[in-house]
Amino acid sequence: MEELTCCAGTVHSVIFQNAENGYTVLRLLTEEGEVVTVVGCIPCAAPGERLTVSGVWEQHSQHGEQLRATEVDRALPEDEDEIFNYLCSGVCKGVGPATARRIVDRFGTDTLDVLEREPERLSLLKGITAKKAQEIADSFRHHLGLRRLMHFLAQYQLPPVLAMLLRQRYGEAALEMVKDNPYLLSADGCGVQFSVTDEIAMSMGMAADSEERLQAAVTFELAHNENNGHVFLPRNKLVDATCRLLDCGSEAVEQALDALIERRVVVQEPLANVEACYLHRLWEAEVSACARLNNLLAAETDVSRQVQRVISEIEASAGITYAAQQRQAVELAASSGVLILTGGPGTGKTTTVRGIVALFQRMGLDIVLAAPTGRAAKRMSELAGLEAQTIHRLLGMKWDEATRQVTFQKSEQEPLEADAVIVDEMSMVDVSLFSALLRSLRPGTRLVLVGDADQLPSVGAGNVFSDLIRSKRVETVFLREVFRQAERSAIIRNAHKVNLGEPPVLTNDQDDFFFLCRRDGERAAATVVELCKTRLPEKMGIPVEQIQVLTPTRKGPCGTLNLNRLLQEALNPRRPDRREIQWGERLFREGDRIMQTRNDYDVVWGKEDGTIGTGIFNGDVGRIVQIDPSGEWLAVDFDGRSATYGVEMLSEVDLAYAQTVHKAQGSEYPCVVLAAMPSAPSLMVRGVLYTALTRARELLIVVGDDAAIRAMAANDKQQKRYSGLKWRLSHSGE
């Protein structure tokens, strides 16, 4: 961990400032008389104000040594010269040097008090009307409000950027609202851990049995468990978890929960023999998805009597003969409002989807193809011969600043112009996105859902694909036959063995599947690096950019944190012609492979063909093309989408030379190197191993402990997800 440095002084000048996110580069005149460059989130910084900065020294390739601020304590200027410089900086709308001089000459060191408390006195000066005086005062109070909010947060070691977020959400009243109820800091989108918020509230004298505390703990537990995949929690489990969080009795928690239910913040509903408690938006998504899916299932489909003949013509034109299950799927696509197509690798899903597309085209239907991620959509386009889009882009996703929520342009009011929608990689789709997709479909639209039901479930809440299959309400075709050509692949053979609970064959006489036994974590990590740096590129001619390292875990010698550090050093070492930037403990360099680690709906990207869009999502992988010489931004290429990242956005990206298996879901790579060492029990399961094996298209090399691999194949334990979609669909006809 780098040593923190403390530096106090007066702002001499502001070199750069981003008004939207507060990122600032400034020169600080220290108390020792030195001029220091400071960078970080310091909203509304202005010459003349006093700062005490804690941070880490960095060496910038162009600008030399600079202090990256982690904490900032601010004080308004006190003497007349500092106040004059402060007003000249533009902190008050409509105040330039001439007006600033007149104000300071008249009010001296009381100037800032006059601006805040007695702005009408400004109108005593020639040329300042009562209206202009009020405008100046409003501008100053806005600026002062943000500063005070930052100061309040700094007392509790919370980052300055949180002040920007709170102002966006709650406006001018943000500070008073947070002081009245600190638990707002743990609300959706703010991201402060409940334990931190609780400590703040207790230090401010909030009672342990206060309504705000109890209700915040209940909603925090629901939101926290949403991140674990749960759409709802049974009431008894929610109450128990909240009691443990607060270390209190159940009666008070029960009352708080009932109050939230009464306000419809939480929805409680009897479901499958439990009292299910939902956050309102998740309940609405699940109920809406069930209702709209039932409408699609009930819609009459226009089926031509010539379907059999048309399918035979499609076979003849493609030079193939469909297997029985493939033909069944194409036939059902013609007659079903909703169809599920599922199967493992090598079972002919792609061929079947092509057949469905060809059938729909001959039926004169307008077809739309979609997938959850950009990589999956790109692969679908290549395999199906039609352009595919991400579901977010298809629906016209945008970010509503007022509500701090995602909204979609396509909905009941403006549905998709499509007669048929085919979605691939459905196991990755959570309940909220599925609900949004269904809302965008016109009555009678055909929906085909394709995926591998044995892969890991979605990162977001729900178990949609599995719930749909298990409900038995939707026509489902299981492709189980592995075709002869696919059977030649040891990757595919071993993936199916794992799916049946058998260990993969760990010998090295297989053409596309190799195993290197390493029972020591550090030795395994060294082997992974050697494979990527020399053995695969030099001995097998595989370019480095086609190799993806996967691992179940982030921690340990073979976790992503350590592997990424080692692989960056080996594959993209420091060079004079490659700019780099330090962000906390992480180093980013031009040429690095990086991954987005959370959804960011505000990122604007563009393509060479002029297409412009917004949103880079959790799991998207790109490459740093350029780092600005000043260190203020990075240019990143995400598979042909170019985006500019302000340096403050580095908190939401990570190196991606090595990825967790969960993050790699929905992607395929020519070559995968899998580091398989013992890790947390929740990761040592069959679904993780199966998903890892099926990410490799041409070559898979497993490096690790054979006992750990066999244990994963034998362990079919699946983490239970609380979801009501299956139950609702199964009982909707009753």
Side-chain angles (χ1 to χ4, degrees), residues 641-653:
R641 294 174 298 156
S642 298
T644 299
Y645 274 50
V647 71
E648 78 287 346
M649 296 164 66
L650 289 177
S651 61
E652 58 190 50
V653 298

Side-chain angles (χ1 to χ4, degrees), residues 471-527:
S471 75
K472 301 191 184 327
R473 286 291 316 283
V474 183
E475 288 280 11
T476 303
V477 176
F478 296 88
L479 299 179
R480 293 191 171 93
E481 179 185 349
V482 180
F483 288 93
R484 194 171 302 167
Q485 183 177 358
E487 261 190 334
R488 297 185 193 129
S489 166
I491 296 173
I492 291 175
R493 291 198 307 272
N494 279 313
H496 284 281
K497 285 176 72 68
V498 167
N499 207 20
L500 294 170
E502 302 172 18
V505 176
L506 300 179
T507 62
N508 286 330
D509 56 354
Q510 305 173 92
D511 290 338
D512 58 358
F513 186 110
F514 297 90
F515 173 65
L516 301 177
C517 186
R518 303 287 188 272
R519 295 195 175 97
D520 175 75
E522 292 185 0
R523 188 164 171 245
T527 301

Side-chain angles (χ1 to χ4, degrees), residues 319-468:
I320 59 173
T321 301
Y322 293 129
Q325 292 167 338
Q326 290 178 308
R327 190 178 185 96
Q328 178 194 14
V330 180
E331 289 175 6
L332 284 170
S335 59
S336 304
V338 185
L339 173 68
I340 291 174
L341 177 66
T342 184
T347 57
K349 288 199 302 292
T350 298
T351 299
T352 308
V353 169
R354 284 194 190 119
I356 292 171
V357 168
L359 176 67
F360 284 168
Q361 286 173 328
R362 291 180 182 235
M363 293 171 66
L365 304 181
D366 288 330
I367 310 163
V368 166
L369 306 184
T373 68
R375 281 177 176 259
K378 184 178 180 181
R379 193 173 75 250
M380 192 183 189
S381 298
E382 293 165 352
L383 297 177
L386 285 179
E387 183 193 359
Q389 302 178 60
T390 63
I391 300 173
H392 288 89
R393 185 180 170 204
L394 177 69
L395 300 182
M397 177 278 306
K398 57 185 177 182
W399 181 244
D400 188 327
E401 283 292 347
T403 63
R404 301 295 297 173
Q405 290 184 346
V406 178
T407 61
F408 294 99
Q409 179 184 343
K410 297 298 179 182
S411 63
E412 306 93 319
Q413 288 73 36
E414 188 182 340
L416 288 170
E417 298 286 332
D419 304 312
V421 175
I422 303 175
V423 182
D424 197 10
E425 294 290 353
M426 260 302 295
S427 62
M428 298 181 68
V429 177
D430 62 34
V431 69
S432 297
L433 188 57
F434 186 55
S435 177
L437 174 66
L438 292 176
R439 281 198 298 272
S440 75
L441 303 183
R442 297 181 299 197
T445 302
R446 296 165 190 265
L447 181 61
V448 179
L449 306 174
V450 184
D452 185 343
D454 295 310
Q455 284 188 25
L456 295 168
S458 59
V459 173
N463 205 3
V464 172
F465 198 46
S466 176
D467 283 352
L468 295 177

